[in-house]
Every structure is written in C-alpha cells, then in structure tokens.
Amino acid sequence: MTTELPKQYDPREAQERWLKFWDERGYFHSRPDASRQPFCIVIPPPNVTGALHMGHALNNTLQDVLIRFRRMQGYNALYMPGTDHAGIATQAVVERRIREEEGKNRHDLGREELVRRIWAWKDQYETRILQQLRQLGCSCDWPRTRFTLDPVCARAVRHTFFELFRHGLIYRGKRLVNWDTSLQTAVADDEIFHETVKGGFWTFRYPVKGTTEFIRFSTTRPETMLGDTAVAVHPSDERYKHLIGKTVTVPLVDREIPIIADGLLVDPALGTGAVKVTPAHDPNDYACGLRHNLPMINILNPDGTINGNGGPYAGLDRYEARKRVTDDMEKLELFDGREDREIELAHSDRSKTPVEPYLSDQWFVKMVDLGQSAMDAVEDGRVKIFPPRYAKTYLDWLGEKRDWCISRQLWWGHRIPIWYARCPEAELKKAFAGRSDVAWRLDEENGQWLICCLDDLSADALGPKYPLERDPDVLDTWFSSALWPHSTLGWPGPALPDLPPGPQNPDCQTMKYYYPTSVLVTSRDIITLWVARMVIAGIYNLGEVPFNHVYIHPTILDAFGERMSKSKGNGIDPMDIIERYGTDALRFLMVHSATETQDSRMPVSNVCPHCQTLVPVKQEHMSMRTRKVACPSCKKPFRPGGPWPAADAELTTAKQASEKFEIGRNFANKLWNAARFLLLNLEGYSPGALRLEDLPIEDRWILSRLATVTHDVTEQLDGYHFSEAARGIYDFTWSEFCDWYVEMSKGRLRDEAGRALAQRMLVGLLDAILRLVHPIMPFVAESIWQALAEAAFERGLPSPEPAAESVVIAAWPSIPRTWQDAGMERRIARMQELVRAVREVRNRYSLDPKTGLEAFVRCPAAVADDFQMLTPFINSLAGVGQLRCGPDIQKPPQSGSYVNPEFEAYVSLRGLIDPAAEAKRLEKQLAEKRKHLLATQAKLQNASFVDKAPPEIVQQQRDLVVDLQNQIGVLEENLRELSPGR
C-alpha cells in the first residue's frame, strides 16, 4: 500500500497541525541534565506592546535554526522566551490612549492607577507577540516564558542595584542629559536619532559693560540666552583679547556674565568668533562650564516650558519664547538678523520629538572599571563576536568609559530602590541594626541620606519623626535587560517561596547548568545598548561572561536601501507573509538573507487588495505621500501601505509583501513534489543496508555529494554562515537530488531488478534532506517526515533504523566522510555540463523537446569512456538520440556548439531548422538589440540623466547595457554557426 501526499503543500494546515503536535509532545522543554551538554539561547525580549516586524522575523528565525540544529546534534537545547516591559515605549502608548479616549494625563490618574492600567495593557498584548513567535515556528521552552518586570526578574534587578550601590558604583548627580519633553524623561545618547530640519541662525549683540562696545554671537536657539552664564572667545583672537575678563549684560534677564577665553569651545574662524555659553542646555557649553566653574542655570520645566529662571518669559513654550526673545532683542536694537539653515536636530527615538539638553538630578553607574572588565572579555576571547568587525563597535564604545544614566522619569518600570531621609546616622544604625539587606550613604550636596534596601521600606521605618521619601524614578529598561541571561535562570536564587514551584519559578542552583549561555543573536543597533551591558552585568554578578558567542546579523532594507518601517510605508508584516506564503517560505528567505558582508535588500510591493497582484512600492508612495494607486492588473484603485491614522472611506489600504518570498515557497513545493513522487513509488519497499562498493555510479555520486553538503552545512552553521548553509541545502535538494538524481532513478524504479535499491537510496536521501532542511523549514520537513514514516518506517543512511517520532528530535545527519569522492563528483559534473549544453542548444533554436538530437563531443579518450558509460543518462536527460564522442570528432556542418575546458560539444541542426529563415529571424533580433543598446548608452551619456535620476535607476540602465551586450554576442555567435562562411 502506498502513502500519498496531497497534490499541493498547504502551509497553513501544516503550521496549525505541527505547532499543536510539538507542544503536546513537549519537544521544546529542557531540563538540566548533567549527562548532556547544554546549549542555551535567551531570546532578545521583544517589547511587550509590540508586534513582530521583519527584524524580529530575521533575528528569531536565526536563533531557532541554531536551537533546532543543536537539538538534533544531541545537545540539551534551551531556547528561553520572554518579553520586555519597554518602559518608555509602553507608558507612551498607554498614556496616548488615555489622552485620546478620556482627555486625561497621567497626573490626573495618579501613579497607582496608571501602572494598573499598563499592567492590564501588558496582559492583553503580551499574548499577541508570543503567539506570533509561535507562528514563526520558534521552538522555545514556552512554560519558562519570562517578563522583565515579573517577580523573578525584579528580584535580580533589586539585588544588582543594591550591590552596585553598596560598592559605590551607583551615584546620584546633577548632569546634562537628553530630555524628552513629550514623555518628560531622560533618554540615553543611544536612544536618539538626528534628523535634518529647517531652522534658523540668529545673530545678536550683548553690550560690554563699561564700554560702548558690543560682542556679537549667533545661535540656533535664541531662547537659551535666558540661561547664558558667559560669552567665550578664543584666547589668541586679536579681535577680542582686550575684552577677556570684562562682562556683558544679558538684557532680557538683566544678568551680568563674564567674557572668558576657551580654546576648546571656540573656533575663531567660525561665525563671529564669539560663543554664548549656556552650560545647562548644551553639552559643549556644559563642558566649558565645568572648566570655568560657571553657574549652570536651567531655564526649562520638564514639559519644555520656560521656568522661573526665565523671568518674564516663564510659562511660555520654548518655541514661543524663542519668538518673544527675538522680538524683544530687536526692540532693544540688539538683533542683527536671521539666516535660514538646515540643522541636524536630535530627536527622541520613542516620542519622535526634539530632545533638549537638560540639567537634572539622575542616577548613574560608574563605568571605568565595569567597562574595562567587559572590554577584557572580548579582547581575551572569552566572548567572540561574529563577524569580528563588530568587536570594534563594542570596544570603541566601552573605551569611552562614559557613566551610564540609569534613571528615567517614568512610572512604568523597576522603581529605583532608594529612600531619602534627613536624620542623624544614629537613627539609621538603630533602625537597621543587624540587617545586611540595607545600605546607606550621605548625599552631602543635598544634606540627606540615601538608603537602599533589597525589600521595600515603609515611610515610617525610622519612626514618625524621620519619614522616608522614596525616589520617584524608575530604572532604564536596559538595566533589567542587561541581567536577562541570568535573571531568566532564577539568579540570585533560590526559587521564590511565595510562588508555586515549576518552570515559572526557577531555582538558580539548578538552572546555572545553562550559564553561560551559548550564543546571543542580535542586530548591530544594540551592541552598545545591550550586548556590552549584558557582559558587564554577567561578569559583575556571576564572575562569568553571559555568553560565549555573539552573532550580529544584517539589517533588512528595502530596494532603495532604506530601513523597513511601517511609519515609512515600506514595512512588511511577517504575519502577512506567513498568511500569503507560509512560515517555511518566510524562514527560508530570512536565513538565505543572512550574509556576513552586507545588509539584505528586499524589494517591497503593495498587495492589491482586489486581485492580489504585487505592485512595487515607489519612493513617492512612501510616508503617506501618495493616497491612491491604480493596480496595473485589475485597474482598481487602492491606498498604499503606510502609517495612515485612520481607515479611508473610499480606498482599501494594501498589505505589503515581497516577491522574494517566492523562493522559499517554491523550494517547499519542489521538495513536496519530489517526496510525493517517491511515496507513489514505494510499493514493496523493504529496508536494507547499503554497501558503497556495490552501488552504481549515480548512487555513489549522490552519496558523495550528500556527504560533502552535510559536512559543509554543519561547518557553516557552526560558524554562523547562515546564507551559505541555506544555499547549500537549496542547491543540493533542488538541483542534484530533484533535477538530476530523481530523474536518473526513474528507469530503475520501473525495472524489477533495480527497484529495491533505488527505493532504499531515494528514501535514505530524502530522510537526510529532511533532517538538513528541518532547522530552516520545520513545517514542510515534519509533514513529509510523518508521511515517509508511514511508508518507510525503517530507513536511513548508511543503515536503516526506526524513524524518530518527529524530525524535531531526529539526529542531525552523520554521513561517512569516506563516501566523499571528488573524482566521482567531477565525472558527474562533467556529464551534467554536457546535458546542459545540449539543452541550451535545443532552447536556443526552439527545437521540439521530443526530437532526439545528434550530439558530437570532441574530448580525450578517458572523458569519452566516461560519457559512453553514462550514455543512458545523457540520452534521457538531454533528449539525445545518438551520441558520438572521442578525440577525433569533427564539428558537423549546421550545428550548434558549446565549448568547455574538457570537451567541445556540437549538436547537429541539419533538417531541424531552415537556415535562411533562422538567419533572417536572428538578424531581425540583432538589429532590435543593437538599437536598444545605442538608446541606453545615449541615455547614460546624458549628464543630466545621470545626475538627476535616482541612483538605483542609473544602475539599472548600466546593468541593461551589459545584458544587451551579452545578448548581442549570443545572437552573433548563432549567426556564425548557421553560416560558417560569414
């Protein structure tokens, strides 16, 4: 009885079936086992309120490939899932929703109520992204799912902060930070981006006190004059030497400030050569203020309005103040004009609004020694970064030794475990006597005690006379994320007594089996934000690095070289791809795209909502610049994908996809069809061992190729060469197995004498291919694996064994290296080249596929012997009726030719074509191609076109020239072969 696969592979059905099957069998659950070697990856936790984007799809697919690969190799593989509370992003989303729906802000609700609502939001949306990761096929240990704010992670955060505070590595200080006035919190340097905006360059004058002179200066932010505390000039500038030490008056606030000499701040060749100094609102001015001990006057409230230091401008929005300040200086005849300028302006990555340099009290981690420990870990090889070039980014950033601002002025997150008290130290010693979980330090600047505790302190911990006040800030999200590789394993342990036992409440002593984790897979964007800080935290808390390897994957760009983003209108939703093409197709392209040398470009198309045609996205379609696009196929209009704020009553908004996903879908279908053919030809199958010496040449060839490919793919995955591994599996399966070996085996399947061996070979090869394919395309691999088990339960190479219950837990293929035969591979490769040559001539002259061709091959005698032995395959694969080969073969008249370093092949065309008519047809084509070439070359010689056209269009035209030249060469050669005398 034969097992028959459906005619078409249904990825949706496969995904639904096998996700449930794998989950029920518990294949992904890992338990510590001292007898087995662990392999552990902790997932870079996606934002809890987010949805998967293509970056997630790439990142998590590559991780899952490694996990499935190592699981098959026998490792005790743990893929730890989880989500990040994403402080700023999550609070911003919920606050925006409350503002839109209720017209309230967080202060109207209060801290407790806002946090309660964010938890509810988290519970609702966390399920979505975890389910999307499941749809992606991630073989995570789902019962161990962690959340950066859960009790297990919270304990690790509190413990780390306490130890850093106790050892003097955390301090509070007034520093200049990037301030997000929209979210009213500090943001890190790594969390801002710069955007060119239209701005101005204003020039003003300050009167020099006691003289009739003025000093001129220019600024892009006139409102900051309200906080000026000096004017700086270069010490060697002859124009201003006589003014150094004098003072000027800031007339708007009647403040007298000095003229100082500072060669670091001032370039005398730029502008007026004088610079206003506002230490509280500019990083360069801040450094100057520290050098000269200048007052630092903050003029802004947290919301970006002017505070009391701005005098009569207090309460105005900073942009309104800018206008008023300029008007008032003009009235005082101290305004010298304004120029339009394009300015690189820093924006918050979270709120997308301009940030302000802002002087405020923040908490910092000292990075000098901690940063050095993380640098040492990479330099001495304990942490290896792949590709190695990214180690420079890591080391350069840590080498700056900039202290890390870890406080954020938010309500959602890990609240800083610091309490303030004003009391004699004796009161602290009395209240906390004998407690090792409390530490305190004097804040001399503010005359108060800073108290840190592993557990929350009540306000009356010191009695009613000395109430405690808790710090209102929360920790930077990256602080908790830095602990992820060990907090997820239950550090510092033991299991929490108030939680039930189980995977959600790990015991650190047991789970340390998995630490250090094996590899981190991430993008280059967060090498500094996350990778470096995890190394710091791992070494500080456990004395060991958190992972041995770091693999930095490429970034997926659109066809124009821009990052994919839904806000731009070029962002593909992985769930749409899964729906349209299937998860296997998505995963294959992700792995295929993970090259080491460059980012991956993926042309993006709008999917016509009416007929499903892919309509390429043009740059004018992006960022909501185009509302209506007409489908070229069905002519119906639609709205291109983008960050549209609401539905359009007239137009349906398109989803987005890319034709490149066809590669993976076609590959799955090719494998499916080959398996279906094999299953239909397994009647009477019986397992049996193979003896290499007894096998015919085609079997020894394919086994050699399998051994080579398996060895190469194993090495490639070991070294994180994902794209090479995907290409190797694809080429072997599609070309060598499906297109060549299966075709070569069809005759044997019809022959009673050769059928049993052919079945065993085909079954064994398909079994090995499914094992190779599984880490990349698990659903199609499992579907075929299960069907094959019904028809051939005992199978495998070199000896048959009972099939594993699932390909997930099957062993990675181990093919004897002795099967590799380079000479055999060269012999078959030469035969394949001959077959391709005959096929090319047949296609070139549009010959009937059923017509048997006469082929003549001039080659050395040894090669001729090989071709003669392989004649049955050459005849069937190339459609050759008669093959003659040897060193004395002459080229027949009217023949198509093909030259190879080892042979020359000629295919007789006599009687198959009308030479005159064919020559006429070719000459017409040649004239058209030459005309097209001249027009394209003329376009490229037009300087206006080359300068003004988009670079990708210019490159397309250059590529077209090369293509046309190649086509012309082929046509000219065809004409010469038809008329040897030409």
Side-chain angles (χ1 to χ4, degrees):
M1 178 180 176
T2 59
T3 300
E4 186 172 349
L5 286 174
K7 288 186 177 181
Q8 289 187 320
Y9 172 53
D10 183 348
R12 187 174 301 181
E13 186 275 336
Q15 288 150 206
E16 185 176 341
R17 175 198 279 187
W18 302 125
L19 285 173
K20 182 180 178 182
F21 175 76
W22 296 332
D23 200 41
E24 289 173 346
R25 297 300 195 281
Y27 295 144
F28 306 155
H29 185 51
S30 176
R31 297 177 182 84
D33 181 350
S35 66
R36 299 173 64 197
Q37 187 174 347
F39 183 85
C40 179
I41 293 178
V42 291
I43 194 171
N47 289 358
V48 69
T49 60
L52 283 189
H53 52 63
M54 290 307 295
H56 289 126
L58 173 65
N59 180 266
N60 289 286
T61 295
L62 298 181
Q63 292 173 76
D64 193 56
V65 167
L66 292 174
I67 284 287
R68 289 177 181 269
F69 167 58
R70 295 302 186 191
R71 189 183 287 121
M72 295 179 78
Q73 287 187 314
Y75 287 84
N76 189 1
L78 171 62
Y79 189 7
M80 178 74 76
T83 56
D84 195 298
H85 67 278
I88 293 179
T90 306
Q91 182 166 323
V93 167
V94 177
E95 281 197 70
R96 187 183 312 119
R97 184 182 185 186
I98 292 169
R99 185 168 56 250
E100 291 171 354
E101 294 180 0
E102 303 176 36
K104 295 179 179 179
N105 60 37
R106 60 172 155 171
H107 300 288
D108 296 325
L109 296 180
R111 186 172 195 138
E112 186 175 338
E113 175 60 15
L114 178 69
V115 170
R116 185 193 69 77
R117 293 201 188 190
I118 298 177
W119 271 106
W121 176 270
K122 172 263 178 190
D123 292 340
Q124 178 184 356
Y125 281 89
E126 181 182 44
T127 305
R128 176 181 67 171
I129 199 161
L130 291 175
Q131 184 59 32
Q132 289 176 338
L133 288 170
R134 286 177 182 264
Q135 292 297 314
L136 192 60
C138 293
S139 57
C140 296
D141 192 345
W142 297 108
R144 297 193 186 279
T145 300
R146 298 251 63 87
F147 176 52
T148 51
L149 269 181
D150 69 25
V152 173
C153 293
R155 176 178 60 175
V157 168
R158 180 71 69 94
H159 191 91
T160 302
F161 187 99
F162 179 80
E163 289 300 312
L164 288 167
F165 179 85
R166 192 165 65 87
H167 291 137
L169 295 173
I170 279 182
Y171 68 93
R172 186 171 185 262
K174 194 177 286 291
R175 298 288 187 277
L176 197 69
V177 297
N178 303 303
W179 189 261
D180 185 325
T181 60
S182 175
L183 299 173
Q184 297 186 37
T185 181
V187 292
D189 290 344
D190 310 271
E191 296 171 313
I192 63 174
F193 65 94
H194 288 82
E195 194 170 274
T196 302
V197 300
K198 290 182 178 179
F201 198 60
W202 289 262
T203 300
F204 300 98
R205 287 174 291 139
Y206 280 160
V208 180
K209 190 171 182 181
T211 73
T212 58
E213 291 187 74
F214 296 87
I215 193 161
R216 298 175 72 246
F217 60 88
S218 298
T219 179
T220 58
R221 298 184 296 158
E223 71 280 6
T224 59
M225 288 193 288
L226 302 173
D228 284 356
T229 57
V231 173
V233 297
H234 197 277
S236 62
D237 193 332
E238 295 295 337
R239 294 172 294 175
Y240 301 119
K241 270 187 176 181
H242 67 291
L243 296 179
I244 296 171
K246 295 184 181 295
T247 62
V248 298
T249 300
V250 182
L252 304 174
V253 288
D254 196 27
R255 181 185 305 129
E256 191 173 331
I257 60 175
I259 300 173
I260 61 173
D262 193 307
L264 293 178
L265 180 66
V266 182
D267 182 344
L270 295 179
T272 65
V275 176
K276 62 185 283 300
V277 183
T278 320
H281 294 287
D282 182 274
N284 295 320
D285 293 4
Y286 177 75
C288 174
L290 292 176
R291 288 194 294 271
H292 296 274
N293 197 28
L294 297 175
M296 299 196 181
I297 301 172
N298 177 20
I299 64 164
L300 293 178
N301 291 313
D303 64 356
T305 59
I306 305 298
N307 64 22
N309 291 327
Y313 305 93
L316 293 178
D317 177 81
R318 64 194 187 280
Y319 298 116
E320 177 61 26
R322 178 176 300 177
K323 184 176 183 302
R324 288 272 296 275
V325 162
T326 302
D327 290 345
D328 290 346
M329 288 292 281
E330 186 171 20
K331 290 174 184 175
L332 294 171
E333 298 183 351
L334 297 174
F335 173 49
D336 285 358
R338 176 190 183 279
E339 298 176 25
D340 288 334
R341 289 255 180 119
E342 289 196 338
I343 299 168
E344 285 286 307
L345 193 61
H347 289 68
S348 167
D349 190 49
R350 293 305 180 188
S351 68
K352 313 303 181 189
T353 59
V355 297
E356 289 287 341
Y358 184 78
L359 194 66
S360 67
D361 289 312
Q362 302 289 342
W363 287 93
F364 296 85
V365 174
K366 294 179 180 178
M367 289 289 285
V368 173
D369 294 334
L370 294 174
Q372 188 59 51
S373 71
M375 293 175 71
D376 294 343
V378 166
E379 289 174 335
D380 64 23
R382 281 174 290 157
V383 174
K384 292 184 172 66
I385 298 178
F386 301 83
R389 66 180 181 274
Y390 289 114
K392 184 177 187 303
T393 302
Y394 173 100
L395 294 170
D396 286 351
W397 183 78
L398 283 172
E400 295 176 9
K401 307 287 176 68
R402 284 181 295 161
D403 288 352
W404 173 16
C405 176
I406 57 170
S407 48
R408 297 292 182 268
Q409 290 63 52
L410 302 169
W411 291 351
W412 172 246
H414 293 277
R415 194 164 178 184
I416 289 177
I418 291 290
W419 288 260
Y420 301 105
R422 298 179 186 275
C423 66
E425 187 175 12
E427 295 293 330
L428 300 177
K429 292 179 178 179
K430 182 174 74 172
F432 304 127
R435 290 184 61 173
S436 60
D437 64 334
V438 182
W440 59 84
R441 190 165 67 236
L442 181 63
D443 175 5
E444 296 182 4
E445 184 178 345
N446 295 295
Q448 59 188 355
W449 292 101
L450 308 176
I451 306 166
C452 185
C453 186
L454 286 174
D455 296 306
D456 285 354
L457 295 172
S458 62
D460 60 356
L462 300 179
K465 187 177 179 181
Y466 303 110
L468 299 183
E469 179 186 350
R470 184 157 188 186
D471 192 296
D473 294 349
V474 300
L475 287 166
D476 175 14
T477 297
W478 295 108
F479 189 93
S480 54
S481 298
L483 314 183
W484 191 244
H486 54 279
S487 67
T488 51
L489 300 176
W491 181 89
L496 292 169
D498 52 346
L499 291 179
Q504 274 294 306
N505 188 14
D507 174 66
C508 183
Q509 286 303 308
T510 303
M511 295 298 288
K512 70 179 183 181
Y513 163 84
Y514 296 105
Y515 190 91
T517 64
S518 305
V519 59
L520 174 77
V521 178
T522 190
S523 70
R524 63 177 178 267
D525 300 351
I526 51 178
I527 292 174
T528 57
L529 282 169
W530 193 40
V531 178
R533 289 166 177 169
M534 281 191 286
V535 177
I536 287 170
I539 293 172
Y540 180 75
N541 282 335
L542 289 92
E544 284 190 88
V545 296
F547 28 70
N548 304 121
H549 292 173
V550 177
Y551 170 70
I552 306 298
H553 60 67
T555 299
I556 299 178
L557 309 175
D558 70 6
F560 308 110
E562 295 195 34
R563 281 176 174 258
M564 287 191 176
S565 166
K566 289 182 181 178
S567 63
K568 291 180 183 175
N570 66 345
I572 296 174
D573 185 338
M575 295 301 106
D576 292 342
I577 298 304
I578 288 174
E579 180 182 351
R580 183 179 178 88
Y581 298 98
T583 300
D584 291 320
L586 170 66
R587 288 172 62 107
F588 181 81
L589 186 60
M590 294 298 94
V591 180
H592 192 271
S593 300
T595 62
E596 295 176 73
T597 56
Q598 59 188 5
D599 291 333
S600 175
R601 292 202 178 194
M602 184 183 297
V604 178
S605 295
N606 287 300
V607 181
C608 174
H610 310 292
C611 68
Q612 300 301 300
T613 297
L614 294 184
V615 182
V617 169
K618 299 179 180 179
Q619 287 187 308
E620 59 263 31
H621 297 163
M622 292 162 58
S623 303
M624 300 187 295
R625 292 197 293 266
T626 302
R627 175 177 170 264
K628 182 189 290 188
V629 172
C631 174
S633 295
C634 69
K635 312 303 180 186
K636 294 181 181 179
F638 62 85
R639 185 169 69 169
W644 303 101
D648 191 305
E650 300 176 5
L651 299 170
T652 304
T653 303
K655 293 180 178 180
Q656 294 184 312
S658 174
E659 61 185 9
K660 290 189 76 172
F661 291 102
E662 295 281 359
I663 300 170
R665 180 166 67 182
N666 293 342
F667 184 35
N669 289 337
K670 182 82 169 181
L671 181 57
W672 182 266
N673 290 335
R676 188 170 185 272
F677 166 79
L678 174 56
L679 289 168
L680 289 172
N681 285 275
L682 285 187
E683 186 73 40
Y685 167 80
S686 62
L690 301 177
R691 286 169 49 87
L692 192 66
E693 59 271 24
D694 296 337
L695 299 179
I697 185 172
E698 66 269 26
D699 289 357
R700 284 179 284 145
W701 162 72
I702 195 67
L703 290 177
S704 176
R705 290 298 304 133
L706 176 63
T708 300
V709 169
T710 301
H711 175 263
D712 290 349
V713 169
T714 303
E715 280 197 341
Q716 286 153 359
L717 291 179
D718 279 340
Y720 310 108
H721 306 302
F722 292 99
S723 185
E724 292 176 25
R727 287 198 301 271
I729 295 170
Y730 178 94
D731 291 343
F732 174 76
T733 304
W734 187 296
S735 177
E736 293 170 311
F737 178 69
C738 295
D739 288 352
W740 292 99
Y741 185 75
V742 170
E743 292 300 317
M744 294 163 77
S745 300
K746 286 181 177 178
R748 292 164 63 192
L749 287 173
R750 293 189 292 267
D751 175 34
E752 194 65 35
R755 182 178 175 83
L757 178 58
Q759 287 178 331
R760 289 168 192 161
M761 280 293 301
L762 286 164
V763 165
L765 287 163
L766 182 59
D767 175 277
I769 287 169
L770 293 176
R771 296 171 196 250
L772 291 170
V773 165
H774 157 254
I776 301 174
M777 306 173 77
F779 295 102
V780 69
E782 187 71 88
S783 297
I784 299 173
W785 182 271
Q786 297 296 335
L788 189 60
E790 293 181 20
F793 179 67
E794 288 189 46
R795 62 181 191 261
L797 299 172
S799 299
E801 296 177 354
E805 182 182 50
S806 165
V807 70
V808 169
I809 54 173
W812 184 251
S814 178
I815 309 300
R817 293 291 298 274
T818 55
W819 285 8
Q820 289 182 257
D821 186 337
M824 179 70 69
E825 292 187 23
R826 281 196 298 273
R827 291 169 66 190
I828 298 296
R830 187 167 54 217
M831 180 207 76
Q832 291 172 326
E833 192 68 17
L834 175 58
V835 170
R836 290 191 190 98
V838 176
R839 288 174 176 174
E840 193 277 326
V841 172
R842 186 187 293 275
N843 291 334
R844 191 192 311 170
Y845 294 99
S846 303
L847 303 179
D848 187 339
K850 296 179 181 179
T851 300
L853 302 177
E854 285 186 276
F856 303 82
V857 184
R858 181 189 298 154
C859 58
V863 174
D865 290 343
D866 245 7
F867 283 152
Q868 292 292 354
M869 185 175 62
L870 295 167
T871 295
F873 299 123
I874 297 171
N875 290 349
S876 63
L877 293 168
V880 171
Q882 185 177 16
L883 174 68
R884 300 177 189 176
C885 47
D888 300 324
I889 292 293
Q890 299 297 313
K891 179 180 179 180
Q894 288 189 17
S895 61
S897 62
Y898 180 89
V899 179
N900 178 278
E902 294 186 274
F903 63 85
E904 293 179 25
Y906 314 108
V907 177
S908 174
L909 302 174
R910 185 182 295 274
L912 300 177
I913 61 171
D914 179 342
E918 181 66 18
K920 188 175 181 181
R921 184 182 70 83
L922 292 175
E923 285 171 347
K924 182 179 178 182
Q925 285 188 12
L926 191 58
E928 291 173 351
K929 298 296 182 185
R930 284 170 174 163
K931 182 179 178 181
H932 194 177
L933 175 63
L934 288 172
T936 307
Q937 289 174 327
K939 186 183 290 186
L940 287 170
Q941 290 166 2
N942 184 337
S944 178
F945 168 76
V946 173
D947 293 340
K948 294 178 181 179
E952 64 273 10
I953 300 299
V954 175
Q955 187 58 46
Q956 285 175 8
Q957 296 300 304
R958 288 175 176 149
D959 294 342
L960 180 58
V961 166
V962 174
D963 186 41
L964 288 169
Q965 288 171 336
N966 290 336
Q967 291 181 49
I968 289 169
V970 170
L971 291 170
E972 289 174 339
E973 176 62 25
N974 289 350
L975 274 171
R976 280 194 293 272
E977 289 180 344
L978 284 173
S979 308
R982 286 172 66 98

